[in-house]
PDB file of all heavy atoms in Angstrom:
ATOM      1  N   CYS A  45      -7.667   1.332 -28.669  1.00 41.00           N
ATOM      2  CA  CYS A  45      -7.191   0.008 -29.045  1.00 41.00           C
ATOM      3  C   CYS A  45      -6.490  -0.736 -27.928  1.00 41.00           C
ATOM      4  O   CYS A  45      -5.847  -1.743 -28.157  1.00 41.00           O
ATOM      5  CB  CYS A  45      -6.250   0.119 -30.239  1.00 41.00           C
ATOM      6  SG  CYS A  45      -7.101   0.730 -31.700  1.00 41.00           S
ATOM      7  N   ASN A  46      -6.603  -0.294 -26.737  1.00 41.00           N
ATOM      8  CA  ASN A  46      -5.965  -0.993 -25.622  1.00 41.00           C
ATOM      9  C   ASN A  46      -6.826  -2.171 -25.215  1.00 41.00           C
ATOM     10  O   ASN A  46      -7.759  -2.042 -24.467  1.00 41.00           O
ATOM     11  CB  ASN A  46      -5.765  -0.032 -24.441  1.00 41.00           C
ATOM     12  CG  ASN A  46      -5.022  -0.666 -23.314  1.00 41.00           C
ATOM     13  OD1 ASN A  46      -4.613  -1.820 -23.411  1.00 41.00           O
ATOM     14  ND2 ASN A  46      -4.846   0.068 -22.241  1.00 41.00           N
ATOM     15  N   ARG A  53     -10.222  -0.251 -10.442  1.00 41.00           N
ATOM     16  CA  ARG A  53      -9.704   0.496  -9.300  1.00 41.00           C
ATOM     17  C   ARG A  53      -9.125   1.829  -9.723  1.00 41.00           C
ATOM     18  O   ARG A  53      -8.692   2.020 -10.837  1.00 41.00           O
ATOM     19  CB  ARG A  53      -8.662  -0.320  -8.556  1.00 41.00           C
ATOM     20  CG  ARG A  53      -7.434  -0.638  -9.369  1.00 41.00           C
ATOM     21  CD  ARG A  53      -6.549  -1.610  -8.622  1.00 41.00           C
ATOM     22  NE  ARG A  53      -5.503  -2.028  -9.525  1.00 41.00           N
ATOM     23  CZ  ARG A  53      -4.228  -1.939  -9.244  1.00 41.00           C
ATOM     24  NH1 ARG A  53      -3.835  -1.480  -8.097  1.00 41.00           N
ATOM     25  NH2 ARG A  53      -3.339  -2.337 -10.108  1.00 41.00           N
ATOM     26  N   ASP A  57      -6.119   6.867  -2.387  1.00 50.00           N
ATOM     27  CA  ASP A  57      -6.998   6.492  -1.295  1.00 50.00           C
ATOM     28  C   ASP A  57      -8.358   6.009  -1.762  1.00 50.00           C
ATOM     29  O   ASP A  57      -9.039   5.293  -1.048  1.00 50.00           O
ATOM     30  CB  ASP A  57      -7.183   7.676  -0.332  1.00 50.00           C
ATOM     31  CG  ASP A  57      -5.899   8.025   0.403  1.00 50.00           C
ATOM     32  OD1 ASP A  57      -5.038   7.122   0.533  1.00 50.00           O
ATOM     33  OD2 ASP A  57      -5.750   9.176   0.833  1.00 50.00           O
ATOM     34  N   LYS A  76      -6.314 -17.141 -10.304  1.00 95.00           N
ATOM     35  CA  LYS A  76      -5.091 -17.332 -11.101  1.00 95.00           C
ATOM     36  C   LYS A  76      -5.030 -18.747 -11.659  1.00 95.00           C
ATOM     37  O   LYS A  76      -4.675 -18.953 -12.820  1.00 95.00           O
ATOM     38  CB  LYS A  76      -3.844 -17.038 -10.260  1.00 95.00           C
ATOM     39  CG  LYS A  76      -3.580 -15.568 -10.066  1.00 95.00           C
ATOM     40  CD  LYS A  76      -2.417 -15.310  -9.142  1.00 95.00           C
ATOM     41  CE  LYS A  76      -1.117 -15.746  -9.750  1.00 95.00           C
ATOM     42  NZ  LYS A  76       0.052 -15.331  -8.976  1.00 95.00           N
ATOM     43  N   LEU A  93     -16.503  -8.772 -13.801  1.00 98.00           N
ATOM     44  CA  LEU A  93     -17.065  -8.605 -12.470  1.00 98.00           C
ATOM     45  C   LEU A  93     -18.522  -8.184 -12.587  1.00 98.00           C
ATOM     46  O   LEU A  93     -18.841  -7.213 -13.266  1.00 98.00           O
ATOM     47  CB  LEU A  93     -16.287  -7.540 -11.693  1.00 98.00           C
ATOM     48  CG  LEU A  93     -16.859  -7.135 -10.337  1.00 98.00           C
ATOM     49  CD1 LEU A  93     -16.785  -8.296  -9.342  1.00 98.00           C
ATOM     50  CD2 LEU A  93     -16.112  -5.918  -9.801  1.00 98.00           C
ATOM     51  N   TYR A  96     -24.531  -9.625  -8.327  1.00 98.00           N
ATOM     52  CA  TYR A  96     -25.720 -10.473  -8.463  1.00 98.00           C
ATOM     53  C   TYR A  96     -26.204 -10.826  -7.070  1.00 98.00           C
ATOM     54  O   TYR A  96     -25.426 -11.340  -6.263  1.00 98.00           O
ATOM     55  CB  TYR A  96     -25.387 -11.726  -9.272  1.00 98.00           C
ATOM     56  CG  TYR A  96     -26.516 -12.702  -9.405  1.00 98.00           C
ATOM     57  CD1 TYR A  96     -27.668 -12.384 -10.127  1.00 98.00           C
ATOM     58  CD2 TYR A  96     -26.440 -13.958  -8.826  1.00 98.00           C
ATOM     59  CE1 TYR A  96     -28.706 -13.292 -10.257  1.00 98.00           C
ATOM     60  CE2 TYR A  96     -27.466 -14.874  -8.953  1.00 98.00           C
ATOM     61  CZ  TYR A  96     -28.600 -14.536  -9.672  1.00 98.00           C
ATOM     62  OH  TYR A  96     -29.639 -15.443  -9.797  1.00 98.00           O
ATOM     63  N   GLN A  97     -27.424 -10.527  -6.792  1.00 97.00           N
ATOM     64  CA  GLN A  97     -28.015 -10.760  -5.469  1.00 97.00           C
ATOM     65  C   GLN A  97     -27.148 -10.140  -4.372  1.00 97.00           C
ATOM     66  O   GLN A  97     -26.862 -10.765  -3.360  1.00 97.00           O
ATOM     67  CB  GLN A  97     -28.250 -12.254  -5.237  1.00 97.00           C
ATOM     68  CG  GLN A  97     -29.222 -12.865  -6.214  1.00 97.00           C
ATOM     69  CD  GLN A  97     -29.434 -14.342  -6.006  1.00 97.00           C
ATOM     70  OE1 GLN A  97     -28.615 -15.032  -5.408  1.00 97.00           O
ATOM     71  NE2 GLN A  97     -30.548 -14.842  -6.518  1.00 97.00           N
ATOM     72  N   ASN A 110     -16.669 -24.673 -23.306  1.00 89.00           N
ATOM     73  CA  ASN A 110     -17.791 -25.145 -24.108  1.00 89.00           C
ATOM     74  C   ASN A 110     -19.147 -24.850 -23.477  1.00 89.00           C
ATOM     75  O   ASN A 110     -20.166 -25.280 -23.976  1.00 89.00           O
ATOM     76  CB  ASN A 110     -17.659 -26.640 -24.392  1.00 89.00           C
ATOM     77  CG  ASN A 110     -17.663 -27.474 -23.128  1.00 89.00           C
ATOM     78  OD1 ASN A 110     -17.793 -26.957 -22.031  1.00 89.00           O
ATOM     79  ND2 ASN A 110     -17.521 -28.779 -23.281  1.00 89.00           N
ATOM     80  N   ASP A 120     -14.955 -16.197  -2.958  1.00 97.00           N
ATOM     81  CA  ASP A 120     -14.236 -17.264  -2.264  1.00 97.00           C
ATOM     82  C   ASP A 120     -13.934 -18.465  -3.157  1.00 97.00           C
ATOM     83  O   ASP A 120     -13.348 -19.447  -2.722  1.00 97.00           O
ATOM     84  CB  ASP A 120     -15.013 -17.710  -1.023  1.00 97.00           C
ATOM     85  CG  ASP A 120     -16.371 -18.324  -1.343  1.00 97.00           C
ATOM     86  OD1 ASP A 120     -16.739 -18.441  -2.539  1.00 97.00           O
ATOM     87  OD2 ASP A 120     -17.088 -18.682  -0.386  1.00 97.00           O
ATOM     88  N   PHE A 135     -29.842 -15.236 -13.650  1.00 98.00           N
ATOM     89  CA  PHE A 135     -28.528 -14.612 -13.499  1.00 98.00           C
ATOM     90  C   PHE A 135     -28.291 -13.600 -14.607  1.00 98.00           C
ATOM     91  O   PHE A 135     -27.886 -12.466 -14.354  1.00 98.00           O
ATOM     92  CB  PHE A 135     -27.428 -15.680 -13.489  1.00 98.00           C
ATOM     93  CG  PHE A 135     -26.032 -15.126 -13.555  1.00 98.00           C
ATOM     94  CD1 PHE A 135     -25.463 -14.517 -12.448  1.00 98.00           C
ATOM     95  CD2 PHE A 135     -25.293 -15.203 -14.720  1.00 98.00           C
ATOM     96  CE1 PHE A 135     -24.174 -13.993 -12.505  1.00 98.00           C
ATOM     97  CE2 PHE A 135     -24.006 -14.690 -14.789  1.00 98.00           C
ATOM     98  CZ  PHE A 135     -23.452 -14.086 -13.676  1.00 98.00           C
ATOM     99  N   GLU A 141     -23.317  -5.625 -14.581  1.00 97.00           N
ATOM    100  CA  GLU A 141     -21.896  -5.618 -14.926  1.00 97.00           C
ATOM    101  C   GLU A 141     -21.217  -4.437 -14.261  1.00 97.00           C
ATOM    102  O   GLU A 141     -21.653  -3.302 -14.379  1.00 97.00           O
ATOM    103  CB  GLU A 141     -21.702  -5.546 -16.438  1.00 97.00           C
ATOM    104  CG  GLU A 141     -20.240  -5.623 -16.829  1.00 97.00           C
ATOM    105  CD  GLU A 141     -20.021  -5.623 -18.325  1.00 97.00           C
ATOM    106  OE1 GLU A 141     -20.860  -6.164 -19.069  1.00 97.00           O
ATOM    107  OE2 GLU A 141     -18.991  -5.058 -18.741  1.00 97.00           O
ATOM    108  N   TYR A 146     -10.134  -8.340 -16.790  1.00 96.00           N
ATOM    109  CA  TYR A 146      -9.070  -8.862 -17.647  1.00 96.00           C
ATOM    110  C   TYR A 146      -9.654  -9.106 -19.023  1.00 96.00           C
ATOM    111  O   TYR A 146     -10.759  -9.641 -19.165  1.00 96.00           O
ATOM    112  CB  TYR A 146      -8.536 -10.182 -17.085  1.00 96.00           C
ATOM    113  CG  TYR A 146      -7.602 -10.905 -18.032  1.00 96.00           C
ATOM    114  CD1 TYR A 146      -6.244 -10.587 -18.076  1.00 96.00           C
ATOM    115  CD2 TYR A 146      -8.073 -11.891 -18.891  1.00 96.00           C
ATOM    116  CE1 TYR A 146      -5.401 -11.247 -18.955  1.00 96.00           C
ATOM    117  CE2 TYR A 146      -7.222 -12.553 -19.753  1.00 96.00           C
ATOM    118  CZ  TYR A 146      -5.889 -12.216 -19.778  1.00 96.00           C
ATOM    119  OH  TYR A 146      -5.048 -12.859 -20.667  1.00 96.00           O
TER     120      TYR A 146
END
Side-chain angles (χ1 to χ4, degrees):
C45 296
N46 184 2
R53 63 188 172 126
D57 293 336
K76 283 175 68 171
L93 173 67
Y96 177 67
Q97 298 179 339
N110 61 2
D120 64 1
F135 171 74
E141 184 177 327
Y146 170 85

